[in-house]
Amino acid sequence: MVRVPVKVKMPFLWGRAVFKKDDWRNINLVVGPNGSGKTLLVEAIADAFAASGYAVKFFRADEREGREALSIVQGNEAVRQKIQAVLSSMFGKTIVFKQGEGGSYIPVVVNRAWNVEYNLEEVECHGLREIITLLAALYANTGSSCLVFDEPELHLHPQFQQFFAEELRRVSARHPKRMYFIVTHSPFFIDLRFPEDLLGVLVCHTNREPTHIESLGRRDEDLLGRFLPRFNSYHKQFFFSDNQIFVEGYTDQQVFASLLPSVQAERGVAGTGIIDVGGKDELGVFCKVCSLLGTNSRIITDLDSLFGGKLRDVFCSDARAAQWLERQGDKQRPFYQSIFTVRELGAPITLEKLISRLERYLAAIGRALCAMQPLGPLEAEIALLVERLDALDQKHSRAENVDTFKTVVLQGVIAEGDLQRQLEQHLPESVTANIPQVRNLFNLILAAASAAGVYILPLGCIEHYYTQSSVRYMPVAGKDRLFHIERKHLLLADPETIRREYAPLISLLESACVR
């Protein structure tokens, strides 16, 4: 780490907010959406480094920088030979710099098998000029210098972008006194291998000051250390927009992406991306990373996320949820007095506390359903619920502690229609008396979670919103088959039909899209 105090004010972009950062990594990434002030920020940072004695140099993808790079090649034989070797390897051809008229050096392809030479700059101009510019700047960099690469990805194939990111890491490791700043829109330059690499990421935002991670605790390092190997270029989209929504899997991603055009434009759908992360626990990690970086992440997740996993830990500890509950204190006091003891009310009401109380109610209702002794045949609705709970009870020694068991009970309790009457008819009054409390508690929990940017599918999971099949409880069998039937319908249905049939999902998506 290098210590250079930086303080930047940009009232026209951030209002009264001030960006401050003192400690810097050797490689620093400046990312964010268009118009968020990335280049202006890095110029101000460069001025601070120059004032601290660093020789600062900007490199941009334009004609002037290309000519300057060739002048470096001309005056530095070691750099010239190194670039020749790298270019030959990258392009799979023998490439040399030959001196032309006026003493300038020109990159030339030599094909000895066919006795052919041609000027590579004329034939493959843009990408070649850019990679020569980048490599010349990188290899010629000496002393206590500070290099700023502004959008180095321009004209470069993704694999060449990745190559330069790796080459930059390799060179910087040998020269720890040199500083590098990359202003980029490319996920291939987000080269994060160790948790501490995140300390070098500066995230610019629309209408607010840039954010960054000041330090990482041991638990954060352990969590991110397990996460980074699964963090691919597709996932890295959230670095470039404050309007990304994370979902568990590809079926959720496909459905919500299909519904995005139906979201009202004023909800802020422009620039929104739906990113699947591959699991409930991964959602928790993404939520944590976004929280650390200060990005406004939104998550849409299944109902069982309430009852375990990293995501629950993250949104229960989110300050936004705590602040929302604090504002609800007076309004919800009569309700809290009906579900908590006087002693319990002596401590703050937290989201974790609310979920734990919900779990206690669900366990009691679930046990009562499994122990039910009906006098005659059960109606179809309650029979299906009891059958599903009995199967889970047979499978697990303490089923009431299992996430799926609690989810199924909750799905039954919040269901509309005849099932509510049947529950009241067959369960003891001492149990059914708590059903209104469960419903109120559930709605309160959903609202608190949404304040933390986590939107829970109240019916269960995405399959419970399908229109081409009927799915009642979790877990859901044959998900892939059901998805392809639903996807075909989504692709062929007209916009009006989609808005009508998927109204609950579209409403939830609209809430998540609000900036």
Side-chain angles (χ1 to χ4, degrees), residues 1 8 24 36 53 69 77 107 117 138 211 224 298 307 331 365 377 390 397 401 407-408 422 425 461 502:
M1 298 289 282
V8 182
W24 303 87
S36 57
E77 183 178 356
E117 291 186 3
L138 182 62
T211 55
L224 295 172
R298 271 67 57 82
F307 304 123
K331 178 182 178 181
I365 296 171
D390 280 340
S397 59
N401 294 330
T407 303
V408 172
Q422 295 167 21
Q425 178 181 346
C461 57
Y502 298 92

Side-chain angles (χ1 to χ4, degrees), residues 223 284-285 287-288 291 309-318 452:
L223 180 68
V285 179
C287 190
K288 182 64 175 180
S291 176
K310 294 186 179 71
L311 181 58
R312 169 174 166 167
D313 295 339
V314 173
F315 69 71
C316 280
S317 61
D318 193 291

Side-chain angles (χ1 to χ4, degrees), residues 280 303-309 312 358-360 362-363 366-367 388-389 391-411 474-475:
K280 182 171 62 178
L303 182 59
D304 61 356
S305 294
L306 280 179
F307 304 123
R312 169 174 166 167
L358 175 64
E359 289 176 311
R360 183 185 296 183
L362 295 177
R367 291 258 54 94
R388 185 59 59 91
L389 291 174
L392 291 168
D393 195 34
Q394 294 294 323
K395 184 177 179 180
H396 303 281
S397 59
R398 291 182 60 83
E400 63 270 22
N401 294 330
V402 176
D403 296 351
T404 307
F405 185 90
K406 288 179 278 191
T407 303
V408 172
V409 176
L410 182 56
Q411 287 177 301
M474 297 177 75

Side-chain angles (χ1 to χ4, degrees), residues 83-143:
I83 294 177
Q84 284 179 172
V86 169
L87 291 179
S88 297
S89 175
M90 288 178 67
F91 286 88
K93 306 168 184 176
T94 300
I95 298 176
V96 297
F97 286 96
K98 289 198 171 185
Q99 201 163 17
E101 295 181 4
S104 62
Y105 282 88
I106 301 169
V108 172
V109 174
V110 179
N111 190 327
R112 293 187 172 86
W114 298 100
N115 195 28
V116 171
E117 291 186 3
Y118 62 88
N119 184 337
L120 188 57
E121 189 175 25
E122 293 176 355
V123 178
E124 304 177 59
C125 177
H126 295 300
L128 177 68
R129 183 193 302 125
E130 178 68 2
I131 198 64
I132 289 175
T133 298
L134 295 173
L135 293 176
L138 182 62
Y139 296 150
N141 182 28
T142 58

